[in-house]
Amino acid sequence: MSNRTILITGGAGFIGSHVVRLFVNKYPDYRIINLDKLTYAGNLANLKDIEDRPNYRFVKMDICDFEGVLALMQDEHVDGVIHLAAESHVDRSIKDPFTFAQTNVIGTLSMLQAAKAYWEGLPEKYEGKRFYHISTDEVYGALEMTHPEGIEPPFTTKASSGEHHLAYGEKFFTEDLKYQPHSPYSAAKASSDHFVRAFHDTYGMPTIVTNCSNNYGPYQFPEKLIPLFVNNIRHRKPLPVYGKGENVRDWLYVEDHARAIDLIFHEGKVAETYNIGGFNEWKNIDIVKTLIRVTDRLLGRPEGADEDLITFVTDRAGHDLRYAIDSTKLQRELGWEPSLQFEEGIEKTIRWYLENQDWLDNVTSGEYQKYYEEMYKGR
């Protein structure tokens, strides 16, 4: 369908900016509306390359502003929503769960209710409409480090897709697993997922939910592990690792995630859930050592010279041991698969941060917030 108007929430954030850029560049006949509150994690500098495109518009707005969102949908004739806006940092959720409940639960409900109110008032109602909600693998809880008898992880295993890869356990997150969130962040995301599905079951809204693994790549806010540690290595600051660094995560390059979102938005089945992951498990300590090795090399230092920066700190409360997504359904039904192996993706990512030190310094200093606060004062 050409001449669509797609509202993307959280489009100034890490994943959102990659999705906005992809849609603006790939679909010149679409009108892309980027709705973002511009909290600490939102940065319009992430989108400088497309900010003047004729099919792009930025709107500074809180997703909890139901009346504002409804008016925007009506004025812009929005027929598709890609909902990424969320508070996403687990440590922050432990300190301030109220903010996470407000943004992730009430904000999602506000978006759903606004879409429902607008679309149900149209002659065609839900025909040609779609509400796509992006969630996380953390809603599933944690997986054990189970392994075949006599074989210590990581070991080679065959996923249900038939592909062999290294893993730290025999079980994976599949779309039919029961939710077992363990942090305020994952509990808030789980609740928002339930609301999205309830709006389909109760009102017939055409919804889709996806759950993704850890993303990495350019433009990630530097409180997250990879950009934080690259910056710390660059300045020879400590690298704080929770516990012993034994926790395992599945990593996905952000542009591969954006491609999956594009594919699912256009071709995914209504009311379905799709898991998006890289079959790419790494222990945190191994990630950290890889970051040190590659960053040192790119900085012209001896590889591994900065391992003395590793500092083990008290483990995070409720720290899940292992996440591992099975994205076989997405591969089987829609033909998506990751384009980058982690070793290639991580070098590409580190190189980007080192080549864009002005962006990194601007974000870590907070200067970007002052600039946009002044720009949008009174709007």
Side-chain angles (χ1 to χ4, degrees):
M1 182 194 303
S2 60
N3 301 315
R4 300 189 70 169
T5 299
I6 311 300
L7 177 62
I8 301 176
T9 70
F14 168 44
I15 300 172
S17 62
H18 286 275
V19 176
V20 167
R21 179 180 294 102
L22 174 63
F23 272 67
V24 168
N25 288 331
K26 185 175 180 179
Y27 302 106
D29 292 338
Y30 286 12
R31 181 160 169 75
I32 306 302
I33 313 296
N34 174 10
L35 185 157
D36 200 297
K37 186 181 177 181
L38 293 183
T39 62
Y40 75 94
N43 186 356
L44 289 176
N46 298 352
L47 293 165
K48 290 290 288 184
D49 56 318
I50 57 102
E51 64 182 3
D52 295 324
R53 295 292 180 84
N55 63 331
Y56 171 72
R57 178 190 174 194
F58 171 73
V59 176
K60 186 177 186 296
M61 187 179 293
D62 188 342
I63 58 173
C64 295
D65 179 2
F66 167 74
E67 296 294 341
V69 172
L70 176 58
L72 178 65
M73 288 190 178
Q74 293 169 331
D75 292 345
E76 295 287 352
H77 308 291
V78 170
D79 51 34
V81 174
I82 300 177
H83 179 42
L84 288 127
E87 294 282 351
S88 64
H89 196 257
V90 176
D91 287 345
R92 287 177 181 263
S93 81
I94 292 171
K95 295 176 181 177
D96 182 16
F98 280 107
T99 295
F100 280 69
Q102 179 69 20
T103 300
N104 296 357
V105 183
I106 301 303
T108 298
L109 182 56
S110 171
M111 294 298 305
L112 287 163
Q113 189 70 0
K116 172 181 175 293
Y118 171 49
W119 291 340
E120 285 192 344
L122 298 174
E124 71 275 19
K125 295 189 182 297
Y126 289 129
E127 184 180 349
K129 309 299 188 293
R130 179 152 292 191
F131 190 106
Y132 179 176
H133 174 69
I134 285 81
S135 188
T136 172
D137 56 358
E138 298 194 34
V139 297
Y140 295 120
L143 294 167
E144 295 180 352
M145 297 265 213
T146 57
H147 52 86
E149 187 174 351
I151 301 178
E152 289 298 318
F155 55 89
T156 301
T157 187
K158 181 182 287 188
S160 53
S161 62
E163 297 179 355
H164 287 85
H165 59 91
L166 292 180
Y168 284 85
E170 296 178 286
K171 293 184 178 180
F172 300 86
F173 293 143
T174 56
E175 289 84 354
D176 57 357
L177 275 185
K178 182 178 73 172
Y179 276 20
Q180 298 186 69
H182 292 153
S183 71
Y185 161 58
S186 57
K189 288 299 290 184
S191 179
S192 68
D193 295 2
H194 290 318
F195 269 109
V196 173
R197 295 187 178 102
F199 265 65
H200 171 267
D201 295 346
T202 304
Y203 308 112
M205 181 181 286
T207 63
I208 290 179
V209 175
T210 56
N211 301 86
C212 72
S213 58
N214 282 24
N215 280 220
Y216 70 97
Y219 298 110
Q220 188 170 26
F221 190 77
E223 69 180 355
K224 297 299 179 81
L225 189 149
I226 289 175
L228 172 66
F229 278 29
V230 170
N231 200 40
N232 283 10
I233 295 165
R234 172 184 154 215
H235 293 292
R236 285 205 46 83
K237 293 182 178 180
L239 306 176
V241 177
Y242 283 125
K244 297 180 180 179
E246 295 293 309
N247 303 74
V248 172
R249 297 295 180 263
D250 176 34
W251 292 87
L252 176 66
Y253 190 63
V254 66
E255 291 181 7
D256 283 335
H257 188 192
R259 287 192 305 103
I261 289 172
D262 173 28
L263 181 64
I264 294 165
F265 179 79
H266 288 95
E267 299 183 25
K269 297 177 183 177
V270 167
E272 288 289 339
T273 298
Y274 297 93
N275 282 347
I276 310 173
F279 285 120
N280 184 30
E281 294 182 53
W282 284 73
K283 279 188 179 181
N284 286 346
I285 189 61
D286 294 332
I287 286 278
V288 172
K289 290 181 179 180
T290 299
L291 290 173
I292 293 169
R293 177 174 52 79
V294 176
T295 304
D296 280 346
R297 173 166 52 79
L298 293 176
L299 288 173
R301 302 172 185 171
E303 288 191 12
D306 286 317
E307 283 197 16
D308 63 325
L309 298 176
I310 296 174
T311 304
F312 294 101
V313 299
T314 303
D315 206 359
R316 170 193 285 161
H319 199 180
D320 291 334
L321 182 60
R322 174 177 173 253
Y323 300 152
I325 273 197
D326 186 340
S327 52
T328 299
K329 176 179 177 180
L330 177 58
Q331 294 177 353
R332 182 182 64 246
E333 294 188 8
L334 299 182
W336 174 91
E337 59 183 20
S339 67
L340 291 180
Q341 295 298 316
F342 184 77
E343 290 82 356
E344 179 185 359
I346 199 63
E347 174 144 355
K348 185 176 180 180
T349 297
I350 294 170
R351 192 179 295 277
W352 186 89
Y353 285 111
L354 294 178
E355 291 175 352
N356 291 272
Q357 293 183 16
D358 288 345
W359 179 91
L360 197 55
D361 291 340
N362 197 34
V363 174
T364 53
S365 70
E367 285 300 314
Y368 73 104
Q369 281 188 296
K370 297 176 186 177
Y371 175 78
Y372 291 115
E373 283 172 3
E374 187 65 29
M375 178 185 292
Y376 288 96
K377 187 180 293 182
R379 295 195 186 182

